[in-house]
Every structure is written in structure tokens, then in C-alpha cells.
Amino acid sequence: MTKQINLIKLSVGTESVEGLEEWQQMRAAATDGASRHVTRMWPKREAELLNGGSIYWVIKGIIQARQPILRLDEVIGGDGIRRCAIVMKPGLIRTEHALKRPFQGWRYLTFEDAPADLKEGKKHEEPLPAELSAALAEIGVR
């Protein structure tokens, strides 16, 4: 039986989930319409990622959303170097907030360590400011 694993990635320069969504829509419109993130490193745990994995997005030091991973595509850059395009389902799924220290690139994230999706009723509530959410998460209140 194939295990499952997720990725976690910083969304550098993004101020909010809405900002990430807008940026992805703009990039998708300029290409083939798919949401994707291109990275230099090809995930070694490909089968586990493609078995229900998602990318969890860290925005302003807090995990705030995720996107299911659909497939991994090979991309050859203008410099001739092979890269991995992580193709994701369009749209973001908001998650409970969880603090995350800065890191480079992407990392694996187990299902056990991943924050839960927001409950249906909370998805339409105005999100807390990032600073307040971070302070609450730091003391263990979500």
C-alpha cells in the first residue's frame, strides 16, 4: 500500500490567501490555465505525493491554505536544466492556522502534522489578521 505525504512551501511576497489565489489565476491565464509551482528539485516521494497529497502554503509565517497535487510535469528551463512543475487543483482550501518558521524550498509534511481544513461554517468568516492569528497559535489557541 502506497503511503501519503504532503509538501509545505512558503508563498514569498504574498500578504493573504486571496493574494496567492489572484497571483495563481494571473499565472494560469498566461499559460495553459493550470495552477503550478516549478521547482528545481524533483520530489523523491512522488508516488506518495500523487496518492492524495497537497501543497500547504505558508503565508506570513502561518500555514493558511492547501491545494491538492494533481501531477508532476517535467519542464526544461531556458537554461536547459530539468525542473519539476507541481500541477495543483485550481483554488485554495483554507486550513486552520499553524505557525511555521521560514525555510528554503519545499519540505515534506506528514498527514499527521498537517493542519485540518477549516470547517464549512468558518470558510466564509473574515479571517483574523495574521499577527493576531500567529499570537493565538503561539499560545496554542486556534
Side-chain angles (χ1 to χ4, degrees):
M1 180 174 169
T2 304
K3 295 181 184 177
Q4 297 175 315
I5 195 77
N6 299 299
L7 295 179
I8 185 168
K9 174 81 178 95
L10 298 181
S11 182
V12 179
T14 303
E15 297 292 319
S16 65
V17 173
E18 294 79 15
L20 175 58
E21 210 157 30
E22 288 171 13
W23 183 83
Q24 286 186 350
Q25 288 170 356
M26 186 176 62
R27 298 263 311 171
T31 59
D32 63 358
S35 293
R36 68 185 72 230
H37 172 72
V38 178
T39 180
R40 290 181 311 187
M41 303 301 294
W42 196 281
K44 290 179 175 57
R45 298 173 74 177
E46 179 176 0
E48 293 171 73
L49 282 174
L50 299 178
N51 191 31
S54 291
I55 289 187
Y56 282 76
W57 292 106
V58 178
I59 301 169
K60 296 188 84 171
I62 304 166
I63 301 172
Q64 298 187 38
R66 71 176 180 89
Q67 279 181 285
I69 297 170
L70 299 175
R71 66 181 188 273
L72 304 179
D73 290 348
E74 182 178 64
V75 176
I76 305 298
D79 54 7
I81 296 175
R82 175 183 183 248
R83 291 181 171 81
C84 177
I86 302 167
V87 181
M88 302 160 287
K89 185 176 179 180
L92 296 167
I93 299 167
R94 289 180 180 269
T95 65
E96 292 181 356
H97 288 185
L99 287 178
K100 190 67 182 171
R101 294 185 187 270
F103 57 92
Q104 289 195 336
W106 51 262
R107 300 283 183 268
Y108 290 112
L109 178 68
T110 65
F111 274 75
E112 298 77 29
D113 292 336
D117 293 350
L118 279 184
K119 292 180 177 54
E120 196 59 40
K122 290 188 170 190
K123 289 181 182 177
H124 302 292
E125 292 178 6
E126 189 66 30
L128 292 175
E131 295 78 20
L132 177 57
S133 184
L136 290 171
E138 196 168 303
I139 61 171
V141 178
R142 290 185 182 202

